[in-house]
Amino acid sequence: MAFIGKPAEQLPDFHIREDANKEKLRKIEAEREKVKLGGGKDALEKHHAKGRLTARERIAGLLDPGTQFFELSTFAAYDMYLEYGGAPSSGTIFGIGKIYNQECVRVSNDATVKAGAWFPITCKKNLRAQEIALENNIPIIYLVDSAGVFLPLQEEIFPDKEHFGRIFRNNARLSAKGIPQLAAIMGACVAGGAYLPIMSDETIIVRNQGSVFLAGSHLVKAAIGEVIDNESLGGAQVQSNISGVTDYIAENDVECLQLLRSLVSKIKTGNKAGFNRIQPKPPKFSYKEIYGVLPDEIIKPYDTYELIARITDNSEIDEYKAGYGKSLITAYARIDGWSIGIVANQREVIKSAAGEMQVGGVIYSDSADKATRFILNCNQKKIPLLFLQDVTGFMVGKRAEHGGIIKDGAKMVNAVANSIVPKITIITGNSFGAGNYAMCGKAYDPRFIAAYPSAKISVMGGNQASSVLTDIKVKQLEKSGKTLSDDDKNKLKTEILHLYEKHSTPLYAAARLWIDEIIDPAQTREFVSRCIQIADNNPEFETFKTGVIQT
């Protein structure tokens, strides 16, 4: 084992960087608090006036005392659907928490946001919740209180593969895999959405509050002329005692949550994957110092070893091929006692084994080759992988191309794609181009993926993109006989840069579920430990194969 890291006072511009990153975090947390209000204070008060708990209160009521809810996709739909009044957190709360020490995914419709209606991102968020339950072999609980599909956007949620119908397909697959699904109808449950709780293993309905039917009373009247109220059509008494659709009646939200907890308490706990864990040791350096390790501006270099030193047990690592391919750090370590393999971009300007200078954040051929072998080793040993992503892409140019950068990059991508151990990705800074893929971006099925407030996610950096797009636009205008002055060119470039920067922020990514959550850098260690703890619930591994790799 090798100790890494320096005291904070020896790090360049520590306090300047610390202040800058704390300010970025403060802005993110301020937006988080707004999102957590759902439909707003007035809507929450109206919900309480009906004798109902809010979506977040329902989730809290299921948690074991003294435990925390591991919320994901908090910023789903952030700054989206504004023409319809917005949809904070996409009108759905989801995450993981313990019930009688059993990890459970829970999804709770927020009826204060458009009556819990499903927007396109709401559907995507629910699919992600089911994916997490399936991948990690943990029960899932649906707290249903929804008016159904948001009709003005029905064509974006109804017919396609990853649309609403996929929810019910996943219900069936979860059931076939023996993963428990429980549902509580705590409000409206209409049309296609009615299949979600009824395809679960067991369903509770709250008296005089929950209702479930394929068509509500207004549509029934329009369709067949029958006049009936919703309670007589599909209320608790009807669906439990006449149709037999639901299994239990609860008198109110509190009783419903108590019954859910009781049902979960009787589920057999499954086998574990058995990932290696020993007694944890804190890092030698405070986790709070991460703010001063990260750069105050995304383009500035920093030493990634200093970040690793503040999240690993005793600030120790076993570095693999330490002197080779130095633009990537590959190392075995422990985080909160868990054995883990770390693949991290080194952002400092460094000298390679061949004596040439390498730009930080760029993946070179030797680095890709090293990372490929390390990922194979972690799969061989069943060690989870942590990707610390701050990458500007693969090296370009004559020397890189002649050296086979595409071939070596493809090897790394192949290894990441076929990896069978849990992969956890944290975007600490840049995430550009094919570097996003090689460092296990969302397309490569990380069990969990998060970003720091300083993250930037796009096909290339804003300055490069704005220059390229400006040149293309100018050439298009010149072909049509128009010319732009230097001032007009600069104005156009600034406009493109502003839009590009806006679309590469972590909030933009989180809104569209490209990442699971934006996290406080100081909570990195806690986040990683929680992810492995959840992943440890699935003991099944596929056979590890990489297919054809060019050497």
Side-chain angles (χ1 to χ4, degrees):
M1 298 292 286
F3 292 102
I4 55 172
K6 302 173 186 173
E9 57 267 21
Q10 295 181 22
L11 301 179
D13 302 323
F14 180 84
H15 293 296
I16 294 173
R17 295 180 174 199
E18 181 180 46
D19 289 345
N21 284 300
K22 282 185 175 179
E23 177 61 15
K24 291 173 187 175
L25 176 64
R26 184 197 65 77
K27 290 179 179 178
I28 292 292
E29 293 307 313
E31 294 305 308
R32 193 189 304 274
E33 291 307 309
K34 292 178 187 176
V35 167
K36 285 185 175 182
L37 291 175
K41 292 182 179 179
D42 289 345
L44 293 172
E45 289 174 3
K46 288 178 181 177
H47 197 75
H48 279 150
K50 297 175 183 177
R52 303 184 183 189
L53 298 175
T54 65
R56 292 186 178 279
E57 288 168 342
R58 288 168 177 172
I59 283 174
L62 286 174
L63 284 172
D64 285 349
T67 64
Q68 291 186 328
F69 181 54
F70 187 61
E71 184 170 356
L72 299 172
S73 302
T74 310
F75 293 103
Y78 178 85
D79 213 22
M80 295 174 66
Y81 311 122
L82 298 182
E83 65 272 36
Y84 303 107
S89 213
S90 78
T92 301
I93 317 302
F94 114 80
I96 303 155
K98 291 187 176 183
I99 301 176
Y100 285 96
N101 208 38
Q102 166 72 62
E103 301 281 11
C104 294
V105 176
R106 66 281 311 270
V107 186
S108 181
N109 298 122
D110 186 351
T112 70
V113 179
K114 299 290 187 296
W118 287 55
F119 288 79
I121 289 293
T122 315
C123 184
K124 189 175 181 180
K125 186 170 177 176
N126 277 262
L127 288 171
R128 178 62 177 143
Q130 290 179 319
E131 181 180 49
I132 287 175
L134 193 61
E135 286 182 336
N136 297 289
N137 194 41
I138 55 178
I140 183 167
I141 297 171
Y142 309 100
L143 305 177
V144 185
D145 192 349
S146 171
V149 168
F150 186 67
L151 291 178
L153 297 173
Q154 62 85 25
E155 76 280 3
E156 297 180 36
I157 190 173
F158 168 62
D160 209 348
K161 180 178 178 180
E162 299 297 331
H163 284 179
F164 201 65
R166 191 79 170 183
I167 300 284
F168 316 135
R169 176 261 193 188
N170 285 351
N171 281 138
R173 284 198 64 217
L174 284 158
S175 183
K177 291 276 288 185
I179 297 173
Q181 297 176 90
L182 301 175
I185 300 171
M186 308 179 81
C189 185
V190 186
Y195 289 103
L196 172 65
I198 307 311
M199 290 190 71
S200 299
D201 302 331
E202 294 179 278
T203 305
I204 305 166
I205 186 169
V206 179
R207 193 187 303 276
N208 299 321
Q209 182 174 305
S211 57
V212 55
F213 31 64
L214 294 181
S217 56
H218 292 293
L219 185 54
V220 167
K221 182 178 180 181
I224 63 173
E226 183 178 8
V227 178
I228 190 171
D229 63 83
N230 283 339
E231 187 66 25
S232 301
L233 182 65
Q237 189 74 15
V238 170
Q239 298 291 27
S240 291
N241 298 346
I242 298 176
S243 69
V245 166
T246 54
D247 306 305
Y248 308 91
I249 297 177
E251 296 301 319
N252 51 49
D253 281 3
V254 173
E255 182 178 295
C256 179
L257 298 176
Q258 290 172 343
L259 179 53
L260 277 171
R261 282 184 53 82
S262 181
L263 292 173
V264 172
S265 74
K266 297 171 179 65
I267 294 173
K268 176 187 178 296
T269 54
N271 298 324
K272 300 288 186 181
F275 297 123
N276 188 298
R277 192 182 196 188
I278 62 174
Q279 185 65 32
K281 295 179 182 178
K284 288 170 60 180
F285 307 98
S286 172
Y287 60 87
K288 294 181 180 179
E289 292 178 1
I290 291 178
Y291 304 121
V293 169
L294 299 171
D296 51 316
E297 296 179 29
I298 200 71
I299 60 172
K300 291 183 179 179
Y302 66 97
D303 189 351
T304 307
Y305 286 102
E306 298 299 337
L307 170 60
I308 295 171
R310 284 152 180 86
I311 63 174
T312 56
D313 287 17
N314 208 33
S315 302
E316 290 179 304
I317 61 172
D318 288 320
E319 188 169 6
Y320 178 77
K321 294 186 181 293
Y324 178 73
K326 296 176 74 173
S327 72
L328 275 177
I329 299 168
T330 51
Y332 301 106
R334 289 192 182 274
I335 294 179
D336 197 31
W338 295 102
S339 171
I340 196 161
I342 298 173
V343 181
N345 300 106
Q346 172 59 299
R347 281 293 307 278
E348 281 199 319
V349 177
I350 51 179
K351 185 177 287 187
S352 73
E356 62 190 32
M357 299 305 292
Q358 297 188 347
V359 179
V362 177
I363 301 176
Y364 293 78
S365 283
D366 54 358
S367 302
D369 177 67
K370 175 175 77 170
T372 300
R373 179 59 181 268
F374 181 73
I375 291 166
L376 299 182
N377 284 340
C378 287
N379 277 272
Q380 181 81 357
K381 300 173 183 178
K382 301 298 186 289
I383 298 174
L385 282 159
L386 170 64
F387 292 84
L388 296 176
Q389 195 182 115
D390 192 349
V391 57
T392 52
F394 285 91
M395 189 59 188
V396 297
K398 177 181 175 180
R399 186 169 185 171
E401 296 294 355
H402 288 194
I405 185 65
I406 297 176
K407 176 183 67 177
D408 291 317
K411 287 194 295 187
M412 184 176 173
V413 169
N414 193 316
V416 172
N418 286 297
S419 182
I420 60 170
V421 295
K423 297 170 290 190
I424 301 159
T425 300
I426 299 178
I427 301 171
T428 64
N430 297 309
S431 179
F432 296 160
N436 171 283
Y437 304 155
M439 292 295 292
C440 198
K442 187 65 182 289
Y444 288 78
D445 296 326
R447 290 287 179 97
F448 299 95
I449 179 169
Y452 286 172
S454 55
K456 292 284 184 183
I457 306 166
S458 59
V459 73
M460 66 177 71
N463 286 324
Q464 297 94 320
S466 59
S467 294
V468 171
L469 292 172
T470 300
D471 287 344
I472 292 171
K473 184 67 175 178
V474 169
K475 289 176 181 177
Q476 288 174 341
L477 291 171
E478 288 175 347
K479 285 182 179 179
S480 62
K482 299 177 183 178
T483 59
L484 291 178
S485 67
D486 288 343
D487 285 345
D488 288 338
K489 289 178 184 178
N490 289 333
K491 183 180 179 181
L492 176 61
K493 183 176 179 180
T494 300
E495 290 174 353
I496 294 172
L497 177 61
H498 176 73
L499 183 64
Y500 214 86
E501 290 293 325
K502 180 182 177 182
H503 288 180
S504 65
T505 66
L507 279 172
Y508 192 88
R512 289 153 183 80
L513 305 191
W514 301 344
I515 56 175
D516 288 321
E517 196 58 79
I518 304 173
I519 65 170
D520 179 350
Q523 294 178 352
T524 301
R525 186 174 156 86
E526 179 184 342
F527 177 84
V528 173
S529 177
R530 192 80 176 89
C531 290
I532 300 176
Q533 186 179 50
I534 293 165
D536 196 43
N537 285 278
N538 191 351
E540 296 181 9
F541 290 95
E542 297 177 15
T543 302
F544 180 57
K545 297 182 291 185
T546 57
V548 176
I549 292 183
Q550 293 188 39
T551 58

